[in-house]
Amino acid sequence: DRVTKINRDGRWGERGLKGGHVWHTTGSGKTMTSFKCAQLIAASRDADKVVFLVDRIELGTQSLEQYQAFANEDERVQETKSTDDLKAKLRSDDPADTLIVTSIQKMGNLEADDLSAADLSAIRAKRLVFIVDECHRSTFGKNMETIRKTFPAALLFGFTGTPIHDENNKKLNTTVDVFGDELHRYSIADGIRDENVLGFDTYMVTTFPDADVRETVALSEAKASSVGEALADPQRAQVYNLYMNELPMGP
């Protein structure tokens, strides 16, 4: 819907377009959901190129085979064997080259300075959509910066199980800053409820015995180096006993 609206509103060509991000917990089928979104956008023809970006390691093991199996009979998932192959598929006007699966590392090798003026102009003239799987992992480094700089009018979507918020920001960037607002959330609580994710069996493991923690705090507050020193002075003893025996420990 976001892609269709941008198309309808004539916003293609604007710099810094953000499609949004999807927060789906691990084990919920996030990767295949993100790939299905790439398929739907490619099939709609609202975009000229849909580039599905994954980590190189994941792409090299099982993902590409899964994507090929998941594709429709009349649909081809284009693998990129090299940076030159990726460049050629991005330039291509063949409808079969609409949906491209590649690694974020390979995509990051396509820097504007290394592309010919003709290649850069031809690719930038297309309506580009990037869908980034596991977008928390590698999208705040050099590769993502290069992609955004080289293709400033591309529309970005991110999928993640662990989004970056203000409290755990990277280089002062969050998932919202890079990809846009949250579009949908399927939390770990949802996954446990639906029995897609195993529940947790939590229990407390103390690092230090409570008595040792109390004594350390009591001596510090009493400004004493030992229990004997604390008890030898009435004022210190009062503070020491307060922390040892009366005040509750925090959670």
Side-chain angles (χ1 to χ4, degrees), residues 133-170:
D133 189 30
E134 302 293 355
C135 69
H136 62 278
R137 184 181 300 167
S138 54
T139 53
F140 297 93
K142 181 178 182 298
N143 288 318
M144 197 62 201
E145 290 178 4
T146 299
I147 292 169
R148 295 167 71 187
K149 180 180 178 181
T150 306
F151 308 107
L155 180 60
L156 302 175
F157 291 93
F159 283 74
T160 179
T162 51
I164 307 300
H165 294 134
D166 287 331
E167 58 269 25
N168 61 332
N169 71 78
K170 296 183 178 181

Side-chain angles (χ1 to χ4, degrees), residues 26-211:
T26 301
S28 63
K30 170 175 50 60
T31 295
M32 297 317 295
T33 300
S34 59
F35 180 67
K36 185 60 180 179
C37 289
Q39 277 187 301
L40 291 172
I41 295 171
S44 73
R45 301 303 179 189
D46 283 324
D48 299 313
K49 298 291 176 183
V50 183
V51 185
F52 188 70
L53 294 177
V54 297
D55 186 85
R56 180 189 292 119
I57 296 173
E58 292 180 348
L59 183 60
T61 53
Q62 60 180 359
S63 295
L64 187 62
E65 293 179 0
Q66 292 177 344
Y67 303 147
Q68 294 283 10
F70 197 64
N72 300 322
E73 290 184 3
D74 59 345
E75 185 176 43
R76 290 165 56 190
V77 179
Q78 295 295 337
E79 179 188 8
T80 55
K81 295 179 174 61
S82 66
T83 301
D84 286 340
D85 187 30
L86 172 60
K87 180 171 61 178
K89 285 183 168 59
L90 287 171
R91 275 206 66 164
S92 171
D93 293 323
D94 187 343
D97 292 330
T98 300
L99 179 54
I100 301 169
V101 176
T102 191
S103 69
I104 192 169
Q105 293 87 353
K106 194 175 292 179
M107 196 73 218
N109 288 333
L110 284 184
E111 299 194 45
D113 294 342
D114 297 330
L115 291 169
S116 69
D119 283 339
L120 190 60
S121 177
I123 297 172
R124 283 180 172 177
K126 298 182 182 299
R127 300 168 300 174
L128 293 175
V129 173
F130 289 103
I131 295 183
V132 188
D133 189 30
E134 302 293 355
C135 69
H136 62 278
R137 184 181 300 167
S138 54
T139 53
F140 297 93
K142 181 178 182 298
N143 288 318
M144 197 62 201
E145 290 178 4
T146 299
I147 292 169
R148 295 167 71 187
K149 180 180 178 181
T150 306
F151 308 107
L155 180 60
L156 302 175
F157 291 93
F159 283 74
T160 179
T162 51
I164 307 300
H165 294 134
D166 287 331
E167 58 269 25
N168 61 332
N169 71 78
K170 296 183 178 181
K171 299 181 180 179
L172 300 180
N173 275 328
T174 67
T175 301
V176 171
D177 293 332
V178 177
F179 295 98
D181 295 336
E182 181 182 307
L183 302 178
H184 188 261
R185 181 185 302 187
Y186 186 83
S187 70
I188 193 165
D190 298 321
I192 293 172
R193 179 200 64 210
D194 296 338
E195 298 183 353
N196 290 324
V197 179
L198 290 175
F200 293 98
D201 182 12
T202 58
Y203 58 93
M204 181 179 292
V205 177
T206 56
T207 307
F208 300 101
D210 287 355

